Amino acid sequence: MGPTETMQAHQTVAPAAVPALATEPADLADAAPPSIDIERGRAELRRWLRRLAKVFDLEAVRREPAEAGDVVRYYEQNHAAYRRYHSSEGAVHMALNPEGRFDAAGFAGPLMRIEARWRSRPAPPEDVLELAFGQGYNLAWLVPRHEYVRFQGIDLTPAHVALARARLAAWTYTTTDSTGPMEAAGETDPIVPGDPPAARVRLVQGDFHHLPQADGCIDCAYCIESMCHALDLPRALGEVSRVLRAGGELILFDGYLPRPLEALQAEEALAVELVARGLAVARLQTVDALLAAARSHGLALAQMQVLDREIMPSLARLEHLTGTVIRWPWFARRALARRPAARSRNVLAGCLMRTTFGMGLLSYREIVLRKESRPTRPDPGIEAIEAIEGRGR
């Protein structure tokens, strides 16, 4: 790989400024102070739960077992709503707005932070993998800016693959893609200066628990708000570790439980579980469990940033939109009954996320994991952590 200056010199668009990144791993005890007073937050939660109980059978929703296909159904059934109410450009993640007011430009916030991470490394990446590329927003933003990088992507949802391919086809080039194993996934074809963006992207429909890439072929993998859908987190992280080169990094943006569910009060636990059900998340992840699973596969914590305040404008916007839906319970019950189930339950998350994140019951983090040169022994504490989380569900 060439020097960092080479990557910067060949970026076709000058990167925008981003907040300074932490250079040392964050202490797990360090977290942003709650933006909502705990007692006021509990009163808000009670009000929201009372309102939602007039529309949904909350305990029934909470007890619903996770099923195969939930994630695909969630994104397919919510596609139109995401485009109409969330991001007309196809972003399916939270905007980062550190200035405290919602701005759609903040949807590029995680990508700007990824770029900043690349610039901070001794050498820029040559091979990058996006896990769960969604509607193609992230690739469409990053690929044209990095003409010396080969990009690959995997996504579980067939509609997302079709949308992303169509987006790349708008660049007038056809992507090298597949609906099965990627035979060329481990190859490192030379990059020709001036290659159009679509010529440097390979997309595949698949599951990140079973990556088709060859061992040690990726410099950087990133996943924005989708590792939360992992049904087997150690397996998913093990697959990422397998395809990363030594020193390669996995960059995650996602929401986590700072504490296990059993450490929360009953109404708090109900609220965060309803958020999970509303987002088709089968099992809430704690930060400790994520890091323990990562260590067991040779992925060490390189950086952790708490971004709760940056997503609050997005959460306030979603709260307003979904709160309007349930303003008149009798009308909401009739209207939501005509919608697909995954779209109806999404209202639960929209109504509860601002308060649960604001109270610190959930936390939005950027976590960077680096593959060590030598594999580490399995972490003996991971089974205990998973057992505790299992009892909390």
Side-chain angles (χ1 to χ4, degrees):
M1 293 184 286
T4 304
E5 291 77 16
T6 301
M7 182 188 76
Q8 294 172 336
H10 291 289
Q11 287 176 332
T12 57
V13 180
V18 297
L21 303 182
T23 56
E24 297 295 332
D27 189 308
L28 288 183
D30 292 341
S35 59
I36 298 177
D37 174 78
I38 296 300
E39 291 307 316
R40 182 167 67 87
R42 287 172 178 160
E44 286 186 13
L45 277 187
R46 285 191 290 270
R47 286 196 296 271
W48 277 116
L49 291 173
R50 283 196 298 268
R51 291 179 65 186
L52 290 166
K54 296 177 182 179
V55 180
F56 298 91
D57 184 338
L58 300 184
E59 283 297 333
V61 173
R62 184 188 206 178
R63 292 193 300 268
E64 285 180 0
E67 297 180 356
D70 281 352
V71 174
V72 171
R73 281 190 291 272
Y74 171 81
Y75 285 105
E76 289 185 339
Q77 292 178 10
N78 282 291
H79 167 67
Y82 267 112
R83 281 282 183 163
R84 182 174 180 180
Y85 300 111
H86 187 65
S87 166
S88 61
E89 295 185 5
V92 292
H93 56 264
M94 298 297 172
L96 299 183
N97 295 127
E99 68 284 352
R101 186 171 62 181
F102 177 78
D103 183 345
F107 288 123
L111 309 175
M112 292 161 64
R113 297 183 72 89
I114 288 171
E115 279 192 338
R117 184 71 192 174
W118 291 350
R119 293 196 301 272
S120 74
R121 300 283 286 147
E126 287 185 351
D127 294 281
V128 170
L129 170 64
E130 179 171 13
L131 306 169
F133 54 75
Q135 299 178 23
Y137 173 90
N138 303 325
L139 288 170
W141 196 92
L142 283 171
V143 173
R145 298 164 65 92
H146 299 278
E147 62 176 306
Y148 280 80
V149 177
R150 290 176 290 262
F151 287 86
Q152 299 181 37
I154 185 168
D155 197 281
L156 189 63
T157 305
H160 282 174
V161 179
L163 286 165
R165 289 175 178 169
R167 192 166 199 157
L168 296 177
W171 286 328
T172 71
Y173 264 66
T174 303
T175 58
T176 303
D177 49 36
S178 170
T179 54
M182 292 192 295
E183 296 178 356
E187 295 179 3
T188 55
D189 301 327
I191 296 174
V192 178
D195 267 356
R200 294 180 285 105
V201 182
R202 294 189 176 99
L203 301 180
V204 63
Q205 180 187 335
D207 186 341
F208 58 42
H209 293 83
H210 308 280
L211 292 175
Q213 280 78 15
D215 295 358
C217 67
I218 298 296
D219 298 307
C220 177
Y222 66 92
C223 186
I224 302 178
E225 296 182 23
S226 289
M227 193 57 69
C228 57
H229 293 303
L231 297 177
D232 185 342
L233 182 60
R235 171 65 186 252
L237 293 176
E239 276 293 275
V240 177
S241 179
R242 177 183 65 78
V243 304
L244 283 176
R245 297 180 174 120
E249 293 185 338
L250 168 62
I251 305 175
L252 300 171
F253 291 84
D254 225 324
Y256 300 93
L257 281 166
R259 297 172 291 161
L261 278 174
E262 67 268 21
L264 306 181
Q265 293 190 1
E267 287 181 334
E268 296 171 347
L270 172 61
V272 296
E273 288 194 280
L274 292 175
V275 169
R277 296 298 179 275
L279 299 173
V281 172
R283 180 177 182 176
L284 293 159
Q285 299 168 5
T286 66
V287 176
D288 285 347
L290 173 79
L291 297 182
R295 286 194 299 271
S296 72
H297 290 286
L299 297 172
L301 178 64
Q303 175 182 300
M304 180 158 57
Q305 292 281 104
V306 178
L307 300 172
D308 295 344
R309 293 187 183 278
E310 284 82 349
I311 66 167
M312 290 306 288
S314 285
L315 300 186
R317 177 171 174 259
L318 294 174
E319 181 187 74
H320 173 74
L321 290 170
T322 52
T324 301
V325 173
I326 65 167
R327 180 176 299 170
W328 297 284
W330 63 271
F331 178 78
R333 287 193 298 270
R334 295 179 60 183
L336 294 177
R338 295 194 295 268
R339 292 181 179 179
R343 183 171 175 185
S344 296
R345 284 195 296 270
N346 196 226
V347 169
L348 294 165
C351 289
L352 293 168
M353 282 193 295
R354 185 190 67 85
T355 306
T356 51
F357 278 90
M359 292 174 63
L361 306 178
L362 293 167
S363 182
Y364 192 86
R365 313 232 174 155
E366 175 191 7
I367 296 177
V368 181
L369 303 170
R370 185 178 301 150
K371 183 175 180 178
E372 299 173 328
S373 299
R374 297 180 180 178
T376 57
R377 295 180 180 179
D379 191 317
I382 188 170
E383 293 182 1
I385 290 172
E386 290 179 340
I388 291 173
E389 289 191 339
R391 288 197 295 271
R393 283 186 54 80

